[in-house]
Amino acid sequence: MTTQLITHPACLDHDPGPYHPENPRRLEAVLGALDADRFAALERVSAPRAHDDELCLAHPRAHVEAVLGSIPPMGRYQIDGDTIVSPGSADAALRAAGAVVAGVDAVCEGRARNVFCAVRPPGHHAEAAQAMGFCVFNNVAVGALRARVKHGLRRVAVVDFDVHHGNGTQHMFERDADLFYASSHEWPLYPGTGAAQDRGVAGNIVNAPLPGGSDGLAFRRAFERTILPALDAFKPELVIVSAGFDAHENDPLASLRLVEADYAWVTRALMDVARAHAKDRLVSALEGGYDLDALAASSAAHVDALMAA
């Protein structure tokens, strides 16, 4: 089995404006980095559109219809202060969620060992009934629930190393003991959620907030002491990663100080858990990362580690 790269050109057509941090150049940078010769063995797969029934695993149907109905035929529409959609946003958002669905299917059906979904818009801030924080639909939550409905898995974990807490994913998972969500994130920072005392209904929520200025050593300690032991005890049948690279020391939207080696390290650590409990099944989806050079290099380090697993 191999590593799949799932993406689609339509994800470049979501255009929140030239000065918006979450712009098409982000995905161009990631895909440019993954065009290097050392990634020739990646199996490149076109992301399908998520169907309404798949989106409705995580979102009420009325909300899905309202979001898709808000996409303007021209110009832009502001869903909230940070989340702006354009004519290409519907196809992009459907492909972003569809990529994670396709990735889950691929690892559960034995067609890939692991998957990186290079897509946008990101998803981890999207609440069940509210698009927010650059996010339209919650791509990883859709994928996690797909694993249950389609493939009969029970225990699914999402691990999020984006610098911002994934409020949407936590809120969707916290009342279900068989869904696990863990996050390392800068604190305090948008969206203001992710306190260490949040535990969910069965200790299935694990937050490791880090103060601004924390470096890779603090990040690794948070995983080694808090997140990885809880994830191992949960024994996930599938690991999904919210792979945000905005905790990098060069990122303009936060102040953690990670480098590429930290992303390679955490990817290997998560693959170790997937190997122990989930038959190697791991699906990663791009979230944040707003310095283009840092995003490209960090994504490449992440995929290097996936391919070497």
Side-chain angles (χ1 to χ4, degrees):
M1 289 190 293
T2 186
T3 297
Q4 285 189 357
L5 170 64
I6 305 182
T7 189
H8 197 280
C11 292
L12 296 168
D13 295 333
H14 168 59
D15 182 12
Y19 303 109
H20 198 286
E22 205 296 285
N23 58 66
R25 297 191 303 278
R26 297 181 62 244
L27 184 55
E28 291 172 349
V30 171
L31 295 177
L34 298 180
D35 276 339
D37 290 345
R38 71 182 191 274
F39 298 111
L42 280 173
E43 181 182 353
R44 297 168 189 268
V45 177
S46 181
R49 295 182 183 89
H51 300 299
D52 284 0
D53 287 346
E54 293 163 349
L55 295 173
C56 291
L57 295 171
H59 300 282
R61 189 170 299 274
H63 173 66
V64 171
E65 293 172 352
V67 168
L68 295 176
S70 73
I71 306 300
M74 57 186 300
R76 297 184 180 90
Y77 173 72
Q78 193 164 349
I79 294 177
D80 78 351
D82 300 308
T83 312
I84 301 166
V85 291
S86 67
S89 297
D91 198 20
L94 294 174
R95 302 275 184 185
V100 183
V101 168
V104 167
D105 290 350
V107 299
C108 288
E109 294 167 4
R111 292 181 282 108
R113 176 185 294 112
N114 53 58
V115 175
F116 179 55
C117 300
V119 291
R120 54 180 293 278
H124 69 155
H125 293 310
E127 299 276 3
Q130 179 64 56
M132 63 178 290
F134 308 168
C135 302
V136 178
F137 298 120
N138 196 307
N139 307 320
V140 296
V142 170
L145 296 170
R146 166 74 168 192
R148 285 181 153 183
V149 170
K150 175 70 174 178
H151 302 287
L153 302 188
R154 191 180 118 205
R155 296 184 310 280
V156 181
V158 170
V159 180
D160 186 339
F161 52 72
D162 191 281
V163 81
H164 303 95
H165 179 252
N167 54 292
T169 313
Q170 174 169 317
H171 291 154
M172 290 180 186
F173 283 21
E174 61 192 358
R175 297 178 184 88
D176 188 326
D178 290 325
L179 294 174
F180 176 95
Y181 175 73
S183 173
S184 63
H185 49 274
E186 184 174 337
W187 176 275
L189 193 67
Y190 180 90
T193 54
Q197 59 265 34
D198 295 348
R199 299 297 297 155
V201 294
N204 56 311
I205 301 299
V206 179
N207 288 311
L210 297 168
S214 297
D215 61 7
L217 179 60
F219 171 79
R220 295 185 192 205
R221 284 176 175 165
F223 267 84
E224 289 174 335
R225 296 176 180 178
T226 302
I227 292 176
L228 292 173
L231 178 62
D232 185 63
F234 179 74
K235 296 180 171 59
E237 296 169 276
L238 170 67
V239 177
I240 300 178
V241 181
S242 274
F245 300 103
D246 40 4
H248 193 282
E249 63 182 1
N250 293 336
D251 197 274
L253 297 192
S255 60
L256 295 189
R257 295 167 46 216
L258 272 59
V259 296
E260 292 86 344
D262 298 310
Y263 292 117
W265 176 87
V266 74
T267 304
R268 291 191 296 268
L270 294 174
M271 279 303 310
D272 287 344
V273 176
R275 184 174 302 110
H277 301 296
K279 301 179 181 178
D280 281 330
R281 295 180 294 221
L282 183 147
V283 177
S284 175
L286 181 65
E287 300 281 5
Y290 305 101
D291 178 276
L292 299 183
D293 291 339
L295 173 61
S298 299
S299 298
H302 178 59
V303 176
D304 269 328
L306 292 177
M307 295 176 70

